[in-house]
Amino acid sequence: MDVLIVGAGEMGRWFGDAIATESSVAFTDVDAAAAEVAAEAVDGRAVSLETDERFEAVCLAVPMTAVEAAIEAHAHKSRTATLDVSGVMEPALEAMAAHAPDRERVSLHPLFAPERAPGSIAVVRDEPGPVSANILETLRERGNEMIETTATEHDEAMESVQAAAHTAVLSFALAAETVPEGFETPIYEGLRELAEQVTDGTPRVYADIQGAFDGADDVAAAAARIAEADPAEFESLYRDARDRWHAGDRE
């Protein structure tokens, strides 16, 4: 199977490496040199963004903000299947339906940074078929767990899993101070480790997530309520949080 990967960033390179044992991989990117490097790493090849060549499958591995335009520009290069690993599903699948209506259509979201692979991958099989099924099976054989979902369920979950979680951690990173050695509590230490992990990433990726998904405003509003609460209201908010996260303990 020959696969074109549009986007030679971290996620595109992860996808290419994950399927290279079963597929012939080509890369294209606005940065031609990056496409060459990515292709060399998997014994593949680089092609021009303007190529008129067609492939069994095309995978869009571009930022969330660019996925709709990328699908419009490149979906026609697929003979059979169009996929994406952008991380936002409803806009991607709507664009695939518009520009690749007669192709297999699958949206994937690896729920991990490429260097932490393998892991869980959210999957929506909008228009399944044998080519995309073969790619998914290859990813599963590489040790990944495929989480079947819907575009709506996924995108709503990302409001908490990504937008709210990142906002909370980055807010701590901006507000808290480092403390003398030995003063750390388990909670502080855990948040410090999360802050170090999040701030070791790519700022644009986190900015794209905040632009794509709601969630940050809810965190800001909750923090404001906590900051302004008197002792009685604080206890009430604490109990609300406990009830939300420990409901199963009482069942």
Side-chain angles (χ1 to χ4, degrees), residues 17-155:
D17 179 68
I19 67 168
T21 57
E22 302 295 332
S23 302
S24 172
V25 176
F27 277 93
T28 191
D29 194 282
V30 293
D31 182 344
E36 292 280 358
V37 171
E40 183 178 354
V42 295
D43 293 325
R45 60 194 179 96
V47 299
S48 167
L49 278 174
E50 289 74 35
T51 183
D52 58 4
E53 187 176 353
R54 299 186 70 193
F55 299 80
E56 194 80 44
V58 170
C59 178
L60 292 305
V62 298
M64 295 177 184
T65 53
V67 67
E68 293 170 274
I71 290 169
E72 181 177 3
H74 300 286
H76 70 279
K77 297 171 185 176
S78 160
R79 296 193 300 271
T80 307
T82 306
L83 309 92
D84 86 287
V85 290
S86 66
V88 61
M89 290 187 165
E90 288 192 285
L93 287 170
E94 288 172 2
M96 287 185 212
H99 301 290
D102 57 345
R103 317 291 204 283
E104 297 174 26
R105 301 186 298 275
V106 174
S107 187
L108 308 172
H109 184 191
L111 300 170
F112 50 83
E115 66 271 16
R116 296 177 182 271
S120 298
I121 302 177
V123 180
V124 175
R125 305 179 194 236
D126 191 50
E127 188 63 42
V131 170
S132 54
N134 185 56
I135 291 172
L136 296 180
E137 179 60 18
T138 299
L139 295 176
R140 188 192 65 77
E141 290 174 352
R142 291 293 299 267
N144 298 288
E145 180 184 3
M146 315 309 288
I147 309 297
E148 303 287 344
T149 185
T150 66
T152 299
E153 181 180 56
H154 169 272
D155 288 359

Side-chain angles (χ1 to χ4, degrees), residues 184-199:
E184 301 93 341
T185 65
I187 299 297
Y188 175 91
E189 186 67 15
L191 286 169
R192 182 188 64 78
E193 291 175 359
L194 288 172
E196 290 175 352
Q197 179 180 333
V198 168
T199 55

Side-chain angles (χ1 to χ4, degrees), residues 220-240:
R225 290 179 67 194
I226 291 170
E228 296 168 2
D230 60 27
E233 185 179 1
F234 184 96
E235 289 187 24
S236 177
L237 291 170
Y238 185 96
R239 285 191 292 269
D240 288 347

